[in-house]
Amino acid sequence: MKKQILIFLSLTSLILFSTSCMKKDLDDNNNTTTASSIEDLKIPQDFDWSTTQKIDVNIGLDVSQEYKGYQKVSLYLGDPANAGSLILSGSFSKDKNYTTTLEIPSYLKEVYLVRSNAAGGIETVAVAIANAKVEHVFTDLKATAQFKEVADGPGCTEGCDEVLSGSGNYTISGGQTYCVPASFTGKITWQAWSGGGTLIICGTANLTQTTTLGTDCHIIVAEGGTLNMGNSNNPNKDINLDYGDASLTIYETATVNARKLIMNGSSTSFINYSDDVSFTGDYQNNGFFTNHGTIDFGGEVTNNESFTNYGVLNIDDHMEINDYFVNSGKIYVDKKIYFNANATCQNNCIITAGDHVEINNDNFEMNSAYLYTTKKLEIWANITLNDASQMVCDDDFETSNIITGTGSRNSIINNDKTYIYGTITGAIEMANEDGDLDEGSLSDFTNGATFVSIANIQNYIPVSECNPEGIGDPSFADTDGDGVSNDDDAYPEDPTRAFNNYYPGENTWGSLAYEDLWPSSGDYDFNDLVLAYRVKEVTNASNNVVELYMYYQVNAIGAGLTNGFGVQFDNITPAQVGNVTGLSIEDGYISLNGNNTEASQAKAVLIPLDNVSSIINKTVPGNGFNTTPGGGAGTSEILEVYVPFVNPLSQSIVGTPPYNPFLIKAQNRGMEIHLPDFVPTSLANPDIFGTFEDASNPNAGIYYVTGDNLPWAIKIAEPFDWMKEKVEIVEGYNHFSEWATSGGSAYPDWYKDYSGYRNDNKIFD
């Protein structure tokens, strides 16, 4: 026994020795342990027993458009569209990032960010946690920046069965690979019936005849390679992907010049990554077409199978879509565009036409996209516009079906006559030059859809990479003048407040679980006090904390002692705190300052409960509270403690909820039990450190752990199902031991109710 025990005995009351948790006392340290006992575990000395990870958050905004005021960013644990829990909200702009630090459950690998602005735009992204950071920059750039891919092609130095140079005629068969590392001019024939093969072009290949490929026949134009179909005397030759899995693949920095690309087989494929590809004639797709680069088509383009564009297509004639079509890049058509009846079409970026556009298929939708035609826009099918999509025609607009808008408000604009024979419904604002309908009536606009003149447009869609025109001006209503729009401001008429932040989440509770025998080791059922907590931090437009609402609910009391509960703010002085309300202080051993912080403290300390039993209501008589089946059951009131600050404080100064919580043992004010390595308050009795099993070493910053690094308290940022009386936590949670002995790396979600994770007969229900 350490020498400090003599001091300890003189300073503590007899009750600390004679009673404890109804089943143990300070001298009862000879319990028989088994292999499953927490005291048998080998705990890394640097393990802090945290079930959370501390994350630095840095959110930026890189946009070309000038926005009035701030934009709002919110952080969710889980997809907000699927009941994800809101934690943080704050302001950011082009000139000011949103930065903060938060603690979230250790097992989480990503968070969700939601950006909103005064113009009604909303964007949700999932961001991975990397190196204890959440970093993201929101932009106005969409589609091509998100979807366009690059890939590395093969070389011509290895794996070549034949190397071609100079000139000649060759036949590829037997699955062989022919390579052109420098220069070749001539005729190449593939024998699909004899196993076909592959031509890889790394230099320059001038193929003097139309080339036909069948099953197992492939052309690859590698980085820096050039394929010319024909020669200077006869340049107009085609590439024919005739049947089977014939393919043409073009990589970055390659060049291809041909008259036509013909794809006859439904399994043939073309994929391009280059920005230097030209076909002077028509193109008909009956296979799989994928473009990540730039292609110039001199003739018409027809799709009869699968057509996906992530890059840029320049089409000198018309385009006709008869089957699956997705555009996530830019398509510029000089003449007409037809989206025909059997096609499934999705536009995620830009499509423009130099003549009229007809949409005849029901499976047509636009996602934050732009469609423009210099002439008529005719819609003869049911279509959908999503999330600030925009349709513009310089001539007449005509529809006989249903156009539905969803998400952020969409726009349809035409500069001549407007014929409505169907219905415009949902999040759509339609406008023409004079605001008059040539056919139809305003009753054809339903569920929020509107029709106005161009001069009276209310919608705002910013210019972006996928919308070169945009529409309207950003509206900005800010009643309190704090720079946060009314729609984004939780307190639109109060300039001192703007956002609500929640820990551990808007719709969930965190948990604190204590053993109260400190400085002697306990029985490690961690149910002497189980306290649920939730904190709401109110911040202003500058993301500084104005006030706190701290909520507490007592879930379980397995202690025979009468304990209290306090919270210390490690970086705040009592003078920085305004008038605190909501404390439950009834038993006379706590002294308060005028603002209801605790007196004689160097740091701001609050005592929400001087007796944790004061807010419980037992409905079943018995010892303890919600720890022994059949006795002592009941419910708890929710205690709300309000904490204003004299001046707003940065979130880094206020700290991360639940801050520095502690149990006051047996209402002896000097006996504090904190989380591992959390510093005690000024009123803690330092003479107790290092006595019994406590191995605290204030000089080394070590507090409230045993010599084997076992704690007296744990914190979980989620609800926690506690143990029955006299049952060690390792018996109820099957992976607790693995978590603890791994230093937190294994089973960071050990407390979840997953299959095989727990023994329900050991846990209080």
Side-chain angles (χ1 to χ4, degrees):
M1 194 65 66
K2 301 178 181 180
K3 64 180 180 180
Q4 289 94 332
I5 189 59
L6 296 176
I7 302 173
F8 171 67
L9 292 172
S10 66
L11 293 174
T12 55
S13 63
L14 182 60
I15 189 173
L16 301 180
F17 293 89
S18 60
T19 184
S20 58
C21 303
M22 301 179 299
K23 71 279 187 180
K24 64 205 175 193
D25 58 43
L26 275 171
D27 295 324
D28 184 12
N29 298 310
N30 299 313
N31 294 328
T32 301
T33 60
T34 67
S36 62
S37 172
I38 190 173
E39 293 181 295
D40 292 338
L41 303 179
K42 302 299 182 184
I43 309 298
Q45 287 297 312
D46 60 352
F47 182 40
D48 64 1
W49 292 92
S50 178
T51 61
T52 60
Q53 54 183 320
K54 187 167 286 188
I55 302 299
D56 291 327
V57 178
N58 187 1
I59 311 301
L61 183 66
D62 182 12
V63 292
S64 58
Q65 194 84 4
E66 290 293 337
Y67 292 88
K68 295 180 180 178
Y70 294 116
Q71 295 193 28
K72 177 183 177 181
V73 61
S74 298
L75 187 149
Y76 289 79
L77 301 188
D79 187 350
N82 192 27
S85 186
L86 172 65
I87 290 190
L88 302 174
S89 293
S91 66
F92 71 132
S93 67
K94 288 177 64 174
D95 302 319
K96 186 192 80 168
N97 284 14
Y98 176 75
T99 60
T100 191
T101 299
L102 76 153
E103 287 189 40
I104 59 177
S106 298
Y107 64 84
L108 289 176
K109 303 299 182 183
E110 67 179 8
V111 298
Y112 282 77
L113 301 177
V114 177
R115 166 205 177 191
S116 61
N117 60 57
I122 297 175
E123 181 180 358
T124 301
V125 295
V127 179
I129 300 166
N131 300 318
K133 294 180 180 179
V134 170
E135 296 181 308
H136 184 73
V137 176
F138 285 97
T139 73
D140 280 335
L141 306 182
K142 294 184 178 180
T144 56
Q146 293 182 358
F147 300 116
K148 184 176 179 180
E149 296 179 358
V150 297
D152 295 327
C156 292
T157 59
E158 296 180 358
C160 301
D161 297 302
E162 296 284 345
V163 175
L164 306 183
S165 63
S167 61
N169 296 331
Y170 292 89
T171 298
I172 300 178
S173 64
Q176 290 192 318
T177 298
Y178 282 51
C179 299
V180 180
S183 179
F184 170 78
T185 299
K187 179 181 178 181
I188 297 180
T189 302
W190 275 259
Q191 291 184 349
W193 61 91
S194 296
T198 301
L199 174 65
I200 301 176
I201 304 169
C202 301
T204 299
N206 303 301
L207 303 189
T208 57
Q209 299 293 324
T210 290
T211 297
T212 299
L213 306 180
T215 300
D216 298 325
C217 300
H218 313 284
I219 295 176
I220 297 173
V221 189
E223 288 93 340
T226 298
L227 170 61
N228 295 314
M229 294 305 299
N231 54 36
S232 58
N233 296 322
N234 189 3
N236 297 317
K237 300 301 176 182
D238 305 333
I239 302 172
N240 183 1
L241 306 180
D242 199 31
Y243 61 92
D245 64 346
S247 69
L248 170 62
T249 305
I250 307 169
Y251 287 94
E252 278 196 302
T253 70
T255 299
V256 173
N257 297 296
R259 180 175 61 179
K260 291 183 180 180
L261 173 63
I262 302 167
M263 298 176 64
N264 291 324
S266 61
S267 297
T268 60
S269 64
F270 168 85
I271 183 167
N272 172 57
Y273 299 97
S274 172
D275 289 330
D276 190 9
V277 178
S278 176
F279 298 102
T280 59
D282 297 340
Y283 168 59
Q284 186 172 101
N285 176 49
N286 294 297
F288 290 88
F289 171 95
T290 305
N291 175 53
H292 294 278
T294 300
I295 304 175
D296 295 328
F297 290 103
E300 62 186 56
V301 172
T302 303
N303 174 55
N304 298 318
E305 189 64 34
S306 177
F307 191 103
T308 305
N309 176 55
Y310 301 110
V312 178
L313 301 179
N314 299 304
I315 301 171
D316 291 347
D317 207 300
H318 75 269
M319 182 173 73
E320 185 169 349
I321 305 299
N322 299 310
D323 209 320
Y324 181 82
F325 170 88
V326 175
N327 173 52
S328 294
K330 302 174 182 180
I331 300 178
Y332 304 103
V333 181
D334 283 356
K335 296 183 180 179
K336 300 175 182 178
I337 302 177
Y338 301 94
F339 297 98
N340 291 332
N342 294 322
T344 297
C345 302
Q346 186 179 99
N347 180 24
N348 300 317
C349 199
I350 294 175
I351 299 176
T352 70
D355 204 323
H356 76 267
V357 173
E358 287 186 19
I359 300 175
N360 301 301
N361 59 306
D362 284 341
N363 296 317
F364 183 98
E365 67 176 36
M366 291 178 45
N367 299 303
S368 304
Y370 176 81
L371 175 67
Y372 168 77
T373 172
T374 62
K375 294 189 178 179
K376 292 181 180 180
L377 175 57
E378 299 172 306
I379 301 175
W380 311 119
N382 300 327
I383 71 168
T384 303
L385 309 183
N386 303 316
D387 293 327
S389 291
Q390 183 174 347
M391 287 181 155
V392 180
C393 61
D394 288 344
D395 206 328
D396 298 348
F397 175 90
E398 190 169 356
T399 184
S400 62
N401 288 72
I402 300 172
I403 303 177
T404 302
T406 70
S408 299
R409 184 169 289 272
N410 306 273
S411 282
I412 302 174
I413 301 160
N414 72 295
N415 292 296
D416 207 331
K417 296 180 180 180
T418 304
Y419 302 93
I420 306 297
Y421 302 105
T423 301
I424 314 296
T425 185
I428 297 176
E429 181 185 66
M430 187 169 185
N432 68 8
E433 189 66 34
D434 56 15
D436 292 330
L437 291 169
D438 296 277
E439 291 290 343
S441 68
L442 294 181
S443 63
D444 297 324
F445 294 80
T446 65
N447 296 322
T450 58
F451 179 76
V452 298
S453 68
I454 290 176
N456 291 318
I457 284 173
Q458 299 297 310
N459 194 22
Y460 170 67
I461 300 175
V463 173
S464 71
E465 186 173 343
C466 288
N467 189 327
E469 182 176 358
I471 189 68
D473 296 313
S475 60
F476 190 77
D478 181 17
T479 302
D480 57 19
D482 62 356
V484 180
S485 71
N486 289 349
D487 289 341
D488 290 333
D489 197 332
Y491 306 88
E493 297 182 356
D494 184 347
T496 67
R497 297 168 174 82
F499 306 110
N500 292 325
N501 304 266
Y502 302 91
Y503 191 88
E506 183 177 15
N507 302 311
T508 191
W509 291 85
S511 304
L512 295 164
Y514 290 90
E515 285 287 312
D516 71 354
L517 276 188
W518 180 84
S520 183
S521 59
D523 60 3
Y524 296 109
D525 55 13
F526 286 103
N527 68 11
D528 293 343
L529 173 63
V530 181
L531 190 72
Y533 67 89
R534 178 190 293 158
V535 176
K536 180 173 78 172
E537 288 187 348
V538 179
T539 54
N540 60 19
S542 298
N543 300 322
N544 291 323
V545 182
V546 176
E547 60 197 1
L548 307 175
Y549 292 85
M550 303 163 63
Y551 301 94
Y552 300 102
Q553 188 172 27
V554 175
N555 286 337
I557 301 173
L561 303 175
T562 300
N563 297 319
F565 173 75
V567 178
Q568 177 170 261
F569 296 91
D570 291 337
N571 302 312
I572 300 174
T573 66
Q576 293 175 286
V577 179
N579 188 49
V580 177
T581 61
L583 304 175
S584 176
I585 298 179
E586 303 174 355
D587 290 359
Y589 70 97
I590 300 298
S591 298
L592 302 178
N593 296 315
N595 60 359
N596 288 327
T597 59
E598 189 173 26
S600 303
Q601 294 279 16
K603 300 174 181 178
V605 176
L606 306 178
I607 308 299
L609 293 160
D610 68 351
N611 182 344
V612 295
S613 297
S614 63
I615 61 171
I616 68 170
N617 300 295
K618 281 191 179 182
T619 56
V620 177
N623 294 329
F625 175 68
N626 291 342
T627 58
T628 303
T635 60
S636 170
E637 301 171 13
I638 296 176
L639 184 72
E640 179 186 297
V641 178
Y642 171 67
V643 186
F645 296 113
V646 175
N647 295 302
L649 300 174
S650 71
Q651 290 174 309
S652 62
I653 290 176
V654 175
T656 302
Y659 313 111
N660 184 350
F662 59 94
L663 181 146
I664 303 172
K665 178 177 177 177
Q667 297 186 319
N668 182 322
R669 189 58 197 84
M671 298 282 285
E672 298 179 359
I673 303 175
H674 292 250
L675 295 165
D677 293 334
F678 277 62
V679 297
T681 78
S682 300
L683 295 181
N685 185 346
D687 295 327
I688 306 174
F689 295 135
T691 63
F692 287 89
E693 278 69 49
D694 178 64
S696 297
N697 183 352
N699 292 330
I702 298 172
Y703 294 98
Y704 301 102
V705 289
T706 70
D708 292 328
N709 196 26
L710 297 178
W712 278 269
I714 56 174
K715 175 188 69 175
I716 299 171
E718 293 185 1
F720 172 63
D721 294 327
W722 56 95
M723 308 307 303
K724 292 179 180 178
E725 189 63 20
K726 296 184 180 180
V727 178
E728 274 202 35
I729 194 169
V730 294
E731 298 180 51
Y733 288 95
N734 295 329
H735 299 302
F736 179 91
S737 296
E738 292 160 277
W739 169 72
T741 56
S742 72
S745 61
Y747 293 99
D749 57 353
W750 60 267
Y751 51 86
K752 302 289 264 184
D753 190 8
Y754 295 152
S755 176
Y757 268 50
R758 48 195 275 175
N759 297 315
D760 288 332
N761 63 326
K762 305 287 187 176
I763 295 171
F764 184 83
D765 184 4

